[in-house]
Amino acid sequence: MRILGIETSCDETGVAIYDHDQGLLAEALHSQIAIHQEYGGVVPELASRDHVRKLLPLIRQLFADADIGPESLDGVAFTTGPGLVGALMVGASVGRSLAWAWGVPAIGVHHMEGHLLAPMLEAEPPEFPFIAMLVSGGHTQLVEVQGVGHYHLMGDSLDDAAGEAFDKTAKLLDLPYPGGPELSRLATQGNPERYRFPRPMTDRPGLDFSFSGLKTFALNTLQDAAKTEGEPIPEQTRADIARAFEEAVVDTLMIKCRRAVRETGIKRLIMAGGVSANQRLRERIGEMMAKEGGAAYYPRLKFCTDNGAMIAYAGCQRLMAGENDGLSFSVTPRWPMEELSGLSQAG
Ligand code: KG4
Ligand code: ZN
């Protein structure tokens, strides 16, 4: 089975063709960073309009790169949630229309299921069951995964998601959007001994997360530094604060992942979503899993953040299991992953 995948839930237009036997045939991505940068964050209306402009040319390019035509496709998959409603509508309406024109089935895909299954695109994919640490701009979730669609939510963010905390703290540090990778780059220059930030909710049982306090801690630290060192705050101090913030997020995520692994006895952990591109996090999680006698799995870097390949893969699993959405489509900006149906052949 060969599927076109379309991702337009936020600020990247991503497309890919995945073939069940041959793997990924082609993928293309257009990032909207340049559009949103001057506003310091994603402007939903501009995001939708840019998806409209870029999606069809990107799909044309994809067919050219794969050297195939639409007649060789068996289905179309597109993200229908969670995400920005207007942005989702673009991918869903274009995807559903193309599927109709080509006479193939169509299916809406859950964006976080896409992230969760992204490590399956790698040469050595994890076997089920595994624990998934999903860390993106909108989600911080620990999920026990028994198979495709068999998801048990073990922990969730009570306020800001990890990526959101990175982005907001980056703004406090005057870094450009998207803040996560910028903050991480600055942190590499920082002295890890200078400041120590709290590890929220690690002193009590449970697997939930709360990162909004860290942003406030960063703000207070910056204000203190401004008083003692003057403004503009020296570059080294900003780097030291970035380092302390990153260490706190990474350490907190690591502690909760270790707890989930110990509680379940499942020794395979995958990390996915934008923040899983963070090198320090990958290092620390890798070390921890090695100590626990298990293994950590990640998507390649470009499939950590939003992309079409993960949507093509997830859609392919569901279409192969006989699911499809018929001729109608709807988008679901808020959509708990536990509402997804479990696929029997995988469970
Ligand atoms: O999965 P994603 O591309 O989009 C959502 O579904 O939200 O994740 C984007 C998030 C942003 O908050 C971004 O700052 C963060 O992932 N991010 C990072 C890194 N790369 C992306 N955070 C920390 N370190 C990174 N290297
Ligand atoms: Zn995402």
Side-chain angles (χ1 to χ4, degrees):
M1 186 173 262
R2 187 174 285 181
I3 305 299
L4 166 67
I6 299 175
E7 156 62 34
T8 65
S9 70
C10 190
D11 57 350
E12 334 255 5
T13 316
V15 295
I17 298 169
Y18 176 79
D19 183 293
H20 177 61
D21 295 319
Q22 297 169 37
L24 206 54
L25 301 186
E27 39 103 12
L29 187 86
H30 166 72
S31 163
Q32 300 180 353
I33 288 180
I35 293 176
H36 302 294
Q37 203 148 37
E38 65 175 296
Y39 304 97
V42 180
V43 183
E45 180 58 25
L46 295 183
S48 316
R49 290 185 201 186
D50 197 57
H51 288 308
V52 170
R53 268 192 298 270
K54 295 293 165 29
L55 183 52
L56 283 172
L58 211 56
I59 293 173
R60 259 185 228 117
Q61 179 196 324
L62 189 71
F63 282 123
D65 292 349
D67 202 17
I68 57 168
E71 66 288 342
S72 75
L73 289 181
D74 301 298
V76 179
F78 37 82
T79 309
T80 46
L84 302 171
V85 66
L88 291 166
M89 286 292 288
V90 177
S93 52
V94 169
R96 179 56 266 181
S97 308
L98 289 174
W100 183 79
W102 297 334
V104 293
I107 189 152
V109 170
H110 192 292
H111 181 80
M112 296 313 291
E113 175 167 69
H115 276 306
L116 188 151
L117 295 176
M120 302 308 239
L121 289 162
E122 299 308 316
E124 287 179 27
E127 281 172 29
F128 296 116
F130 56 76
I131 305 289
M133 177 77 252
L134 301 177
V135 271
S136 70
H139 294 79
T140 311
Q141 295 183 324
L142 266 167
V143 185
E144 184 182 331
V145 180
Q146 293 290 341
V148 178
H150 296 272
Y151 307 134
H152 168 62
L153 185 64
M154 304 174 73
D156 205 347
S157 53
L158 304 181
D159 41 54
D160 291 355
E164 195 178 355
F166 263 98
D167 294 340
K168 287 178 174 172
T169 305
K171 250 190 187 173
L172 296 174
L173 288 163
D174 283 331
L175 295 168
Y177 154 89
E182 293 285 339
L183 188 151
S184 185
R185 211 166 297 131
L186 180 62
T188 57
Q189 315 296 319
N191 170 8
E193 308 299 329
R194 172 126 179 241
Y195 297 107
R196 186 177 164 85
F197 279 38
R199 274 56 174 158
M201 298 185 68
T202 52
D203 57 351
R204 64 189 95 161
L207 294 167
D208 287 337
F209 302 89
S210 166
F211 288 118
S212 69
L214 281 183
K215 168 194 67 195
T216 314
F217 202 89
L219 178 63
N220 293 339
T221 311
L222 275 164
Q223 284 171 343
D224 289 346
K227 272 185 219 140
T228 52
E229 298 174 57
E231 284 183 285
I233 296 168
E235 181 72 5
Q236 186 59 50
T237 299
R238 290 169 63 246
D240 295 343
I241 292 173
R243 181 67 191 261
F245 169 83
E246 181 177 63
E247 279 303 316
V249 174
V250 166
D251 208 33
T252 304
L253 291 171
M254 187 278 288
I255 291 168
K256 295 287 166 100
C257 285
R258 187 172 59 201
R259 215 177 260 179
V261 165
R262 288 182 180 168
E263 270 178 24
T264 56
I266 297 174
K267 295 204 184 271
R268 283 177 294 272
L269 177 84
I270 71 112
M271 273 206 315
V275 182
S276 68
N278 184 283
Q279 288 303 333
R280 187 74 185 127
L281 180 62
R282 290 164 89 103
E283 248 171 60
R284 292 289 311 280
I285 293 283
E287 283 164 17
M288 180 275 285
M289 285 308 291
K291 263 192 210 149
E292 295 296 309
Y297 301 81
Y298 322 88
R300 72 199 81 164
L301 279 180
K302 68 176 171 184
F303 294 159
C304 286
T305 44
D306 294 349
N307 65 86
M310 66 185 196
I311 302 304
Y313 180 85
C316 186
Q317 304 311 304
R318 291 193 170 272
L319 284 163
M320 280 199 313
E323 288 187 13
N324 79 70
D325 288 349
L327 285 177
S328 64
F329 73 89
S330 58
V331 298
T332 316
R334 289 179 182 276
W335 185 6
M337 204 164 56
E338 281 182 308
E339 286 176 7
L340 294 174
S341 58
L343 300 195
S344 53
Q345 98 275 19

